[in-house]
Amino acid sequence: MCNQLVDVMKKCLYQFMVALIAISSFALVSCSDDDDEVISSDIVGTWKWDSFNTDETETFFGEQYIQFGSDGQYIEVDIDGFGSEGEVDIKRGQWRQSGNTIIVSGKGVPTTTTEITELTDTDLTLVTLGIHMSYKRVADSKIEEYLK
């Protein structure tokens, strides 16, 4: 019985952290004075969550993929990391970029703004309310397997 209680507590903690990460990764941020910085790489594509701030936490919290489509479509796939079954949550919306700012909105996706602090061919870092979310570029097929 104690093991079941621990499992339930882990699941609740996980769900809370996933919700916190999802909301904070695209919550509103204030604009900074360095709007003249130019993003040199293209954000269009699929990205896999790599780390939260500087902690490697993917194995504990599961996985997250985000996709910025060239047509302005945004897809987010969150995979529950507990158990062999893993729950999948898919959110869809639209996105647009203005300088170093990304704005995402849509049904099931609250209108949110986040700042791009790093964008290369392989790495993306988004900052919201001081929280750094790092992503690695992956093949589009990685997210498409969850969209079937």
Side-chain angles (χ1 to χ4, degrees), residues 137-148:
R137 187 182 296 273
V138 296
D140 289 343
S141 60
K142 288 290 195 179
I143 200 170
E144 290 167 2
E145 66 187 68
Y146 297 101
L147 304 177
K148 297 177 183 177

Side-chain angles (χ1 to χ4, degrees), residues 65-81:
Y65 294 92
I66 56 176
Q67 185 177 70
F68 298 99
S70 60
D71 60 354
Q73 296 299 307
Y74 171 82
I75 301 172
E76 179 180 317
V77 175
D78 298 306
I79 301 107
D80 180 340

Side-chain angles (χ1 to χ4, degrees), residues 79-111:
I79 301 107
D80 180 340
F82 289 103
S84 60
E85 298 295 315
E87 294 179 32
V88 177
D89 182 31
I90 300 171
K91 297 176 183 79
R92 295 175 185 266
Q94 296 76 42
W95 73 280
R96 67 182 190 274
Q97 180 178 353
S98 176
N100 290 347
T101 302
I102 297 280
I103 300 168
V104 176
S105 61
K107 185 176 182 180
V109 179
T111 300

Side-chain angles (χ1 to χ4, degrees), residues 113-126:
T113 304
T114 192
E115 180 184 0
I116 302 167
T117 60
E118 178 184 15
L119 178 57
T120 68
D121 290 340
T122 58
D123 297 298
L124 169 65
T125 301
L126 302 174

Side-chain angles (χ1 to χ4, degrees), residues 9-139:
M9 290 175 62
K10 283 182 181 178
K11 180 112 176 144
C12 288
L13 176 62
Y14 167 77
Q15 290 174 343
F16 172 76
M17 292 306 293
V18 166
L20 177 66
I21 290 168
I23 291 169
S24 66
S25 68
F26 290 104
L28 293 174
V29 296
S30 63
C31 296
S32 63
D33 291 328
D34 45 339
D35 288 337
D36 55 348
E37 182 178 340
V38 176
I39 298 297
S40 60
S41 298
D42 195 0
I43 195 169
V44 171
T46 302
W47 302 86
K48 180 181 180 189
W49 176 55
D50 183 53
S51 66
F52 174 70
N53 281 345
T54 59
D55 299 331
E56 298 295 326
T57 54
E58 178 181 6
T59 56
F60 182 75
F61 294 113
E63 297 179 60
Q64 180 189 62
Y65 294 92
I66 56 176
Q67 185 177 70
F68 298 99
S70 60
D71 60 354
Q73 296 299 307
Y74 171 82
I75 301 172
E76 179 180 317
V77 175
D78 298 306
I79 301 107
D80 180 340
F82 289 103
S84 60
E85 298 295 315
E87 294 179 32
V88 177
D89 182 31
I90 300 171
K91 297 176 183 79
R92 295 175 185 266
Q94 296 76 42
W95 73 280
R96 67 182 190 274
Q97 180 178 353
S98 176
N100 290 347
T101 302
I102 297 280
I103 300 168
V104 176
S105 61
K107 185 176 182 180
V109 179
T111 300
T112 53
T113 304
T114 192
E115 180 184 0
I116 302 167
T117 60
E118 178 184 15
L119 178 57
T120 68
D121 290 340
T122 58
D123 297 298
L124 169 65
T125 301
L126 302 174
V127 178
T128 304
L129 301 174
I131 300 170
H132 295 251
M133 297 288 292
S134 297
Y135 296 85
K136 296 286 186 188
R137 187 182 296 273
V138 296

